[in-house]
Amino acid sequence: MSNQEQSKVSPTEEKDRTSGAKPGLSEISFKPTVLVIDDEKRIRDACQRLLIEEGFDADCAENGEIGLKKIEAAHFDIILLDLMMPGISGFDVLASVKSLHPDTLIIVITGYATIEHSIEAMKKGAFDFLPKPFSPKDLRLVVSKAIEYIRTLQDIATEKSRMRVMINSLGDGVLITDNQKKVALANPAFLKMICCTESDVIGRPISEIIAEAVLLAMIDQALQQASDTFVELTEEFSIPGERKEDELIIGVRCIPFRDRLGRNLGTVTVLHDITTLKKIDQLKSDFVSMVAHEIKSPLNSILMQLKVVMDGLAGDLTEKQKEILFRTSDKIKALTMLSSDLLDLSKIESGLINQEKEEFNIAELVRRQVDFYAEQAKAKSLELTMRETDPSIRIVGNKTNIEEVVSNLITNAIRYTPEGGKIKASVEKDKNYARIQVSDTGFGIPEEDLSRIFDRFYRVKNEKTRFINGTGLGLAIVKSIVEAHQGTITVSSKTDQGSTFSVSLPITSS
Ligand code: ADP
């Protein structure tokens, strides 16, 4: 060992406590183990004493051979390693430690003249270096830096393991992919839901482990989202079981995650088993549809019998009796309307109504509805017209359903527009969509009600609407049909000025 490598640390030296730069070693929750390998006894002893005082578990070795034996026998968090020793050199010890315990941090102790060695040692994986001579403060600083580093690594590892335990114990399926559509994480619930029996899926392309086309398409779509949009994609799919009752219905949510520049780094997909919810919903729909169906025929027969009485075929009636029967018949008509709407709604919900689709000219369909309601509008002194539209727009859909949409919008416009008002229908091409609009100069819809008028049974209650019969189901039916055709419906309205309903449906050819 050269003279230049004489350390300022000596066994008799007082600890340097003046700087106040003791960087929080006491906060460390684990007891780090340190090995000092130095052929100079004075330095070994001084370092060991100081490290023990600081709460470390410190051991010493007087040369590379003994040091390596100790390293093979036990794991050390930090090794203070003299580079210049007789026998095995510090560099050889460094190489062995890197292969035996890659997580051990090595701080090399060097003399001024051997600064190149320190750089060399750093290149070979040393964490830091401590030039001789060094003071207790220097030693503390370099060791606390290493401890800080170990603690950060530990925090990351703890956080990772906590996340892994949490995600693995979730009942919902979680899949995380990178932007190359490779699996970065898939919890057991996810693998179970997609019936994947393999356990080693990390790093594999999703197409190798997922058969469900809906899922693959959602991940594709999420990854293609532009950085200025952030849409959570939602879908449902079913996994058939051996028996019909074993079928699972899974709700899927898929979102991309991004770096700070908005680039898509990957996707997170969450699967939730909604089988029970769907079954309860189905039971409710079945019940409503059963009740509606059961009351519809008796109501129709009551109406017919009432008509016989009202027409005087069962004997003469007084004016008072006629008036009462007229009001009764009105109420029963409202009830039949309700049961028809409920039946329509449950048919749409069970997917029955939308099965037969065909291609047709949408402007023609709207024009026929406008013609059909011309009489009814005229009777209320309303001007019902159709704006000249592009006659070539065609869509694919269930014609009866789309007729119901247009007829609902036109009858609503007639019902909610006072005499003398105007109603206009139109069909226009808007990019790849056909936009059907029905606007009126009627009562309008108060702003606070606008977001709710598509809810089932929701009706605006005010002085103007209270005498108009309705079920509050028409727009709910319209919305369900439009959405089943991959379309959208919006409304804009101003009280006492009128409303415009716009329906957009995908175009097939132009
Ligand atoms: P219903 O007309 O049977 O009450 P809807 O679902 O068709 O049920 O409509 C819900 C509510 O929306 C209606 O009660 C009415 O208050 C309002 N509404 C619908 N269309 C119009 C319109 N064109 N103008 C004003 N209000 C409307």
Side-chain angles (χ1 to χ4, degrees), residues 412 415-416 440 444-445 453 458-460 470-472 474-475 499 501:
N412 272 356
R415 287 157 69 217
Y416 298 105
D440 61 57
I445 301 158
I453 54 165
Y458 192 81
R459 306 202 65 217
V460 177
T471 60
L475 289 178
S499 315
F501 284 84

Side-chain angles (χ1 to χ4, degrees), residues 85-248:
M85 290 182 293
I88 297 183
S89 80
F91 281 109
D92 293 334
V93 177
L94 175 66
S96 301
V97 175
K98 280 284 128 195
S99 68
L100 277 172
H101 300 289
D103 62 319
T104 297
L105 298 186
I106 298 167
I107 298 165
V108 293
I109 304 172
T110 57
Y112 284 126
T114 57
I115 195 82
E116 302 80 22
H117 283 144
S118 322
I119 296 167
E120 187 65 24
M122 296 287 281
K123 280 190 192 157
K124 290 192 166 141
F127 173 74
D128 208 345
F129 63 93
L130 189 59
K132 287 178 182 177
F134 56 85
S135 67
K137 179 181 156 195
D138 298 333
L139 177 64
R140 251 186 243 120
L141 259 173
V142 74
V143 171
S144 65
K145 213 168 94 183
I147 293 297
E148 214 38 65
Y149 182 78
I150 292 171
R151 196 159 55 180
T152 309
L153 287 186
Q154 258 192 355
D155 283 353
I156 295 172
T158 314
E159 198 55 43
K160 261 175 90 175
S161 115
R162 201 181 292 159
M163 284 283 277
R164 201 174 312 122
V165 170
M166 202 177 84
I167 292 176
N168 282 350
S169 53
L170 281 177
D172 282 355
V174 180
L175 168 78
I176 301 178
T177 72
D178 62 15
N179 54 11
Q180 301 304 307
K181 290 188 266 178
K182 289 200 175 119
V183 179
L185 184 152
N187 73 348
F190 177 84
L191 296 176
K192 193 169 166 224
M193 282 182 190
I194 62 158
C195 307
C196 174
T197 47
E198 297 173 59
S199 53
D200 194 15
V201 294
I202 306 298
R204 297 203 13 216
I206 49 166
S207 54
E208 280 180 17
I209 60 157
I210 301 172
E212 191 53 57
V214 174
L215 266 182
L216 294 171
M218 283 175 90
I219 293 170
D220 261 344
Q221 219 182 319
L223 279 176
Q224 279 162 21
Q225 261 184 46
S227 57
D228 56 347
T229 52
F230 192 81
V231 182
E232 183 184 68
L233 306 168
T234 52
E235 278 290 353
E236 284 174 18
F237 70 91
S238 58
I239 302 170
E242 277 179 19
R243 296 168 304 161
K244 176 83 183 112
E245 309 88 88
D246 299 334
E247 182 188 48
L248 286 184

